[in-house]
Amino acid sequence: MRKITRRSFLAAAAVCGAAAALTACGGSSASSTAASSVASSAVAGSAAASGDTYTIGICQLVQHAALDAATQGFEDALTAEFGDNVKFDFQNAQGDSATCATIANGFVSSGVDLIMANATPALQAAQSATNEIPVLGTSVTEYGVALGLTDFSGTVGGNISGTSDLAPLDQQADMIVEWMPDAKKVGLLYCSAEANSQYQVDEVQKYLEAKGVTATQYAFSSVCQKAADENDALYVPTDNTVAANTGIVDGICRPAKKPVFAGEEGICSGCGVATLSISYYDLGYTTGEMAVKILKGESNVSDMPIEYTDVTKKYNKTICDDLGLTAPEGYEAIEG
């Protein structure tokens, strides 16, 4: 895995602020005509026939286990198809949304054949940077929310497609109640600048309240202690800021005997008791297979629907043991 210097908790709050600024920016790619992406696919198909090499730009928001696994899966799928004929220009924004924009614009200037945007701010940056180069997102929860689409029905159109890491949110609410049937109050901890995180906690709040559970949102910066103090349990969606700071969450919630339920396995490994897990490696690999089809001219990015992956019930044995919790039937322990 590529190593970066881990940012401090205060810097994580700054990430939220930077992401908020980028979220307000719109791009034209989602509403662009399919003509430009048809041209891109045709050029890619011609290159495949001639045996030319491809350069793929990868913009990853930040280093953590889930995003790293998605990038690895993506690279493996393309390498399996093209071998040494594919080159990757990997750049990590180290949690800075503004850097995502710089990276994406650099990819456009250098004329890469395809951009893979790993996480929502990276996808938003790529959307703003180009409406011609094919862009595939991964580790993105809800594309309609991320790209500001009012009529999203599963296919973005233009030059954008990709894969989603969304686990069914009604099932996540069910998971919390299954583990904590007597819980009356659940805190929803997330970075308010991440549009997909806001979407997830809004939905989980709706499902929990339908079950008679009081659900309160807490924007992640200095409120983790408050969330732990005021609730019986916490829920964290697939949120990049929290994922990069699970040690802080665990350091507050485990001593307070407050279980944390997570939207993905990487967060659960760091601070959670249970999750509906997806394989981010498989998600990235699927994204890579989509890229192969685009580069070989077999598929047009504008016609490709967003793809999803199956979920598995998993639990963190170490934290469960510390909290005296027994996993319900059907959960498997997270390895490692």
Side-chain angles (χ1 to χ4, degrees), residues 79-131:
T79 301
E81 178 67 28
F82 297 121
D84 293 337
N85 285 337
V86 63
K87 307 297 180 185
F88 302 103
D89 183 356
F90 174 90
Q91 297 191 43
N92 194 316
Q94 300 193 33
D96 188 346
S97 297
T99 302
C100 287
T102 301
I103 292 170
N105 287 324
F107 289 156
V108 174
S109 296
S110 62
V112 298
D113 297 296
L114 183 142
I115 296 172
M116 192 277 263
N118 195 345
T120 297
L123 179 67
Q124 292 168 331
Q127 178 199 32
S128 296
T130 180
N131 61 3

Side-chain angles (χ1 to χ4, degrees), residues 8 28 148 152 156 160 167 178 184 203 209 213 223 229 250 257 271 301-302 309 324 332:
S8 68
S28 60
F152 176 68
V156 175
I160 295 177
E178 179 183 24
K184 302 299 182 185
E203 290 295 299
E209 290 179 346
V213 177
V223 299
D229 291 342
D250 187 48
K257 303 297 183 183
C271 65
V301 63
S302 68
T309 190
E332 60 183 66

Side-chain angles (χ1 to χ4, degrees), residues 54-259:
Y54 305 106
T55 299
I56 310 297
I58 300 176
C59 178
Q60 181 171 315
L61 174 64
V62 68
Q63 181 193 29
H64 63 70
L67 300 191
D68 291 346
T71 292
Q72 189 63 60
F74 177 79
E75 291 183 351
D76 287 353
L78 282 154
T79 301
E81 178 67 28
F82 297 121
D84 293 337
N85 285 337
V86 63
K87 307 297 180 185
F88 302 103
D89 183 356
F90 174 90
Q91 297 191 43
N92 194 316
Q94 300 193 33
D96 188 346
S97 297
T99 302
C100 287
T102 301
I103 292 170
N105 287 324
F107 289 156
V108 174
S109 296
S110 62
V112 298
D113 297 296
L114 183 142
I115 296 172
M116 192 277 263
N118 195 345
T120 297
L123 179 67
Q124 292 168 331
Q127 178 199 32
S128 296
T130 180
N131 61 3
E132 295 183 354
I133 297 173
V135 174
L136 291 177
T138 194
S139 313
V140 175
T141 304
E142 216 286 339
Y143 281 72
V145 173
L147 300 178
L149 308 176
T150 58
D151 56 351
F152 176 68
S153 59
T155 301
V156 175
N159 65 318
I160 295 177
S161 189
T163 56
S164 169
D165 60 2
L166 179 65
L169 297 173
D170 57 340
Q171 294 180 31
Q172 298 201 45
D174 291 342
M175 171 182 66
I176 297 169
V177 174
E178 179 183 24
W179 278 75
M180 304 285 292
D182 297 327
K184 302 299 182 185
K185 297 190 293 184
V186 173
L188 310 175
L189 187 65
Y190 71 110
C191 176
S192 58
E194 295 190 33
N196 279 310
S197 295
Q198 183 70 66
Y199 169 77
Q200 290 174 81
V201 296
D202 286 345
E203 290 295 299
V204 171
Q205 181 175 16
K206 178 180 69 177
Y207 290 121
L208 286 172
E209 290 179 346
K211 296 174 180 295
V213 177
T214 299
T216 304
Q217 298 184 15
Y218 297 83
F220 181 67
S221 58
S222 59
V223 299
C224 186
Q225 184 67 60
K226 179 178 173 64
D229 291 342
E230 296 180 350
N231 294 278
D232 303 311
L234 274 67
Y235 170 76
V236 178
T238 54
D239 184 288
N240 293 298
T241 303
V242 179
N245 293 275
T246 56
I248 294 167
V249 179
D250 187 48
I252 291 171
C253 294
R254 199 184 330 184
K257 303 297 183 183
K258 300 297 175 70

Side-chain angles (χ1 to χ4, degrees), residues 7-75:
R7 302 191 124 198
S8 68
F9 173 59
L10 291 177
V15 170
C16 282
L22 184 60
T23 302
C25 298
S28 60
S29 58
S31 59
S32 66
T33 65
S36 60
S37 53
V38 169
S40 297
S41 295
V43 170
S46 175
S50 65
D52 290 344
T53 61
Y54 305 106
T55 299
I56 310 297
I58 300 176
C59 178
Q60 181 171 315
L61 174 64
V62 68
Q63 181 193 29
H64 63 70
L67 300 191
D68 291 346
T71 292
Q72 189 63 60
F74 177 79
E75 291 183 351

